[in-house]
Amino acid sequence: GDSVTQMEGPVTLSEEAFLTINCTYTATGYPSLFWYVQYPGEGLQLLLKATKADDKGSNKGFEATYRKETTSFHLEKGSVQVSDSAVYFCALQTGANNLFFGTGTRLTVIP
Amino acid sequence: DAGVIQSPRHEVTEMGQEVTLRCKPISGHNSLFWYRQTMMRGLELLIYFNNNVPIDDSGMPEDRFSAKMPNASFSTLKIQPSEPRDSAVYFCASSRTSGGPRGDQYFGPGTRLLVL
C-alpha cells in the first residue's frame, strides 16, 4: 500500500545550521508529495509540495525535490532559525483525495 | 477567508459521557477530513467525506465513534461513550477535489479532548 517513511526525530540544531529531514515513499502510480509543518499548539499547515518527478517545491527558505529514481522527497533549509522549531510531516497523495502522512519529525532550533 | 473552524477548542469530560466535536470547513471546499493526534500513535485519519458523503471510515476506531456531515458547511464527530484512551487532539481539515489544487488540506486549530 501507499506509505511514507520519514526520519525519526527529534532533531536539534543550532541557529543558522543546515537542515535535512529525510522522507521516502512507497506508492503505486504517480503520487503528489507534500511537506506540512505543525507549530506548537496549532494545526498542520502546508509548507510546500511537488506534483511530478523532478519538481522542486519551495517556501520560506525550505526546499524539497521530487526524486522518482530514489522515491524520496527530502526537506532542506540552508540556515534554520529558532522560529522554524516545529514538527514536520511528509505526506503523499495518489488517486484518492486523502493524504498519507509520515510520523512527523520534531525540530528544535537553539539560539 | 476564515479558515477551518473547530469547536470547542478544549473539552474535559468524564468517562462515559458523550462528546461532540464540531467543524466548519472552508467555504467552497468539498472534502472534509477528521484526524486524531496522540503522542503514541501520531496523526491518524479517522474518516473523510467528499460532497458530504463518507468515503472512507476505516480509521474510525470502533462503534463508539460516529461522524456526520449534514451539509457542506458543517460536520460533527461524536464519541459515545467516551473513554480515557480517547484523550487526544482532534483535527478537522478541508480541501477541494476540483477547481483548485488537490491535496492542499487546510487544518483547523484542533480540539484538545481530555477524558477523565
Side-chain angles (χ1 to χ4, degrees):
Chain A
D2 297 339
S3 67
V4 168
T5 302
Q6 67 179 100
M7 174 176 161
E8 287 200 18
V11 174
T12 302
L13 295 173
S14 296
E15 205 164 21
E16 300 183 3
F18 184 85
L19 169 71
T20 299
I21 300 178
N22 290 339
C23 172
T24 57
Y25 67 89
T26 301
T28 53
Y30 303 96
S32 295
L33 300 171
F34 303 81
W35 278 99
Y36 279 76
V37 58
Q38 184 179 29
Y39 298 104
E42 299 183 10
L44 280 70
Q45 303 174 23
L46 177 64
L47 179 59
L48 54 84
K49 67 178 182 181
T51 57
K52 60 183 187 297
D54 300 325
D55 269 2
K56 178 186 284 188
S58 62
N59 186 24
K60 299 182 181 178
F62 291 89
E63 292 183 340
T65 301
Y66 188 163
R67 302 281 188 204
K68 188 165 180 281
E69 62 276 13
T70 54
T71 62
S72 65
F73 193 55
H74 304 321
L75 182 68
E76 297 181 336
K77 186 173 185 182
S79 176
V80 293
Q81 305 300 312
V82 172
S83 57
D84 294 327
S85 297
V87 181
Y88 292 83
F89 293 87
C90 186
L92 72 80
Q93 179 197 50
T94 54
N97 201 40
N98 57 315
L99 292 170
F100 294 90
F101 284 94
T103 53
T105 302
R106 182 177 298 278
L107 169 66
T108 301
V109 180
I110 54 178
Chain B
D1 222 340
V4 175
I5 298 172
Q6 290 188 248
S7 64
R9 293 293 309 276
H10 302 273
E11 177 83 23
V12 180
T13 190
E14 292 188 344
M15 183 173 65
Q17 297 297 306
E18 177 180 295
V19 174
T20 299
L21 311 181
R22 298 174 176 79
C23 175
K24 177 179 169 54
I26 292 173
S27 177
H29 284 191
N30 58 337
S31 291
L32 183 139
F33 308 80
W34 283 102
Y35 293 90
R36 178 173 68 176
Q37 186 176 41
T38 62
M39 289 294 292
M40 291 297 294
R41 300 174 68 92
L43 190 66
E44 303 173 276
L45 176 66
L46 300 178
I47 185 171
Y48 81 93
F49 297 83
N50 274 358
N51 297 317
N52 313 337
V53 175
I55 301 301
D56 183 355
D57 65 353
S58 59
M60 295 286 263
E62 49 200 88
D63 291 346
R64 297 185 298 107
F65 285 69
S66 62
K68 294 182 180 179
M69 192 164 185
N71 57 62
S73 57
F74 183 66
S75 177
T76 60
L77 178 67
K78 187 174 293 187
I79 309 172
Q80 166 64 16
S82 58
E83 297 182 4
R85 60 191 167 125
D86 301 329
S87 298
V89 182
Y90 291 81
F91 289 104
C92 176
S94 69
S95 72
R96 299 177 188 273
T97 54
S98 63
R102 291 174 64 238
D104 292 14
Q105 291 189 13
Y106 293 80
F107 281 71
T111 294
R112 193 171 297 271
L113 173 66
L114 177 60
V115 183
L116 301 173

